[in-house]
Structures are given as C-alpha cells and as structure tokens.
C-alpha cells in the first residue's frame, strides 16, 4: 500500500490527507468507483472533504495518470479506478449505469490471429460490453 502511495505522489501530485485516503479507497476496491461512493467512504472514515473536493482530487490524479477516469456512457457518471496500466474491458449496465471491470481480455488470441490474417501490426483495441445487470433485469422483469 505504501509503495503505490509514494509512486502516486512522486510525480508532482501534492499529497494531502484526502488524496491519500482516496487512493486507499481506490486500492481497496477492485471495481471502478464513483466520486459519490468515495465521498461516502471518506465520511465513514471521518475524513472531511466536500464532494467537489473529491472530484477535483480525482481529476488531478487522473491528469497525473495515477487514476483512470472511465466515462463510457454519455449520460452516466464518470467512474474512477487506480491506474494499474492494465488493459481493461468493461461491462456496462444501461439501466443503472454500473460499470464492472472484466479481469481478463478475451481478444488476445484474436489479435494474434488477425495479425496473421491481415499483416497488420496491432497495437491495441477497445471493447466495452453493454447490457442490463441482474438487479435491473429483476426490476424490469425481463
Ligand atoms: Zn443495472
Ligand atoms: Zn482487450
């Protein structure tokens, strides 16, 4: 936990109590979280920060590449997760705008195959999967 923190603050990001706590929360969550969620967890920890402070901290950390801002659906809120430099794909619920990170890439083998077939040198891809989560399916009865 300390290593990640010192790495985060070594690249010119001003270290504050709130930012350390935000990083801790992001580290604890394996899934992307919203600024509101972080705000709530901070108040549970008795760390006072306004929602706009949390937003500004997250934006600053996103600019420094410490966290990744995920903004997949246009109307949905942005979610944040620790930038692990890991290639990620997301399951996006169109009902409640929940975003779930997949822990593997289903396209690695496919990229190799495509390179062989097309002679492209493939450097990356994007894939987000949209649908309805179990809670939303229950609500709509489908
Ligand atoms: Zn949902
Ligand atoms: Zn992938």
């Amino acid at each position: 936990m300390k290593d990640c923190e010192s790495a985060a603050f070594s690249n010119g990001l001003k270290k504050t109590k709130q930012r350390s706590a935000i990083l801790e929360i992001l580290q604890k969550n394996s899934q992307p979280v919203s600024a509101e969620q972080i705000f709530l967890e901070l108040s549970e920890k008795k760390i006072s920060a306004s929602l706009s402070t949390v937003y500004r901290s997250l934006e600053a950390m996103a600019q420094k590449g410490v966290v990744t801002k995920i903004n997949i659906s246009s109307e949905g809120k942005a979610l944040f997760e620790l930038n692990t430099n890991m290639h990620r794909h997301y399951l996006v619920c169109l009902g409640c705008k929940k975003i779930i990170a997949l822990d593997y890439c289903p396209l690695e083998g496919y990229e190799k195959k495509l390179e062989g077939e097309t002679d492209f040198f493939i450097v990356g891809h994007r894939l987000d999967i949209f649908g309805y989560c179990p809670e939303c399916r229950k609500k709509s009865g489908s």
Side-chain angles (χ1 to χ4, degrees):
M1 185 157 290
K2 278 280 162 285
D3 281 1
C4 161
E5 214 189 279
S6 48
F9 292 113
S10 65
N11 50 9
L13 196 67
K14 209 174 100 208
K15 183 172 175 170
T16 65
K17 197 178 162 198
Q18 284 108 328
R19 284 176 182 176
S20 299
I22 290 171
L23 273 181
E24 227 172 85
I25 292 168
L26 287 169
Q27 235 168 352
K28 198 175 61 134
N29 283 285
S30 53
Q31 291 296 331
V33 288
S34 66
E36 284 80 5
Q37 254 169 288
I38 292 171
F39 172 70
L40 286 178
E41 289 200 36
L42 283 178
S43 49
E44 273 166 29
K45 286 168 179 274
K46 307 266 180 287
I47 295 168
S48 62
S50 66
L51 185 55
S52 60
T53 310
V54 172
Y55 255 113
R56 276 200 305 273
S57 299
L58 285 167
E59 292 289 348
M61 288 193 270
Q63 260 169 30
K64 294 282 181 192
V66 178
V67 305
T68 307
K69 185 178 178 182
I70 311 159
N71 214 339
I72 292 171
S73 57
S74 52
E75 42 185 321
K77 282 179 206 137
L79 295 183
F80 297 86
E81 70 178 353
L82 218 53
N83 182 8
T84 52
N85 288 319
M86 241 178 67
H87 173 78
R88 289 272 232 178
H89 295 294
Y90 301 97
L91 262 179
V92 183
C93 176
L94 295 170
C96 62
K97 313 297 175 205
K98 170 164 54 210
I99 296 175
I100 295 166
L102 300 177
D103 53 11
Y104 71 99
C105 172
L107 292 180
E108 274 169 18
Y110 184 59
E111 275 194 348
K112 289 272 170 300
K113 182 175 172 282
L114 260 186
E115 281 191 328
E117 284 174 6
T118 62
D119 211 21
F120 253 65
F121 172 60
I122 294 173
V123 292
H125 57 256
R126 285 167 170 273
L127 170 72
D128 298 312
I129 298 166
F130 299 91
Y132 293 91
C133 73
E135 288 83 44
C136 290
R137 290 182 65 190
K138 246 179 261 162
K139 263 182 255 163
S140 69
S142 61

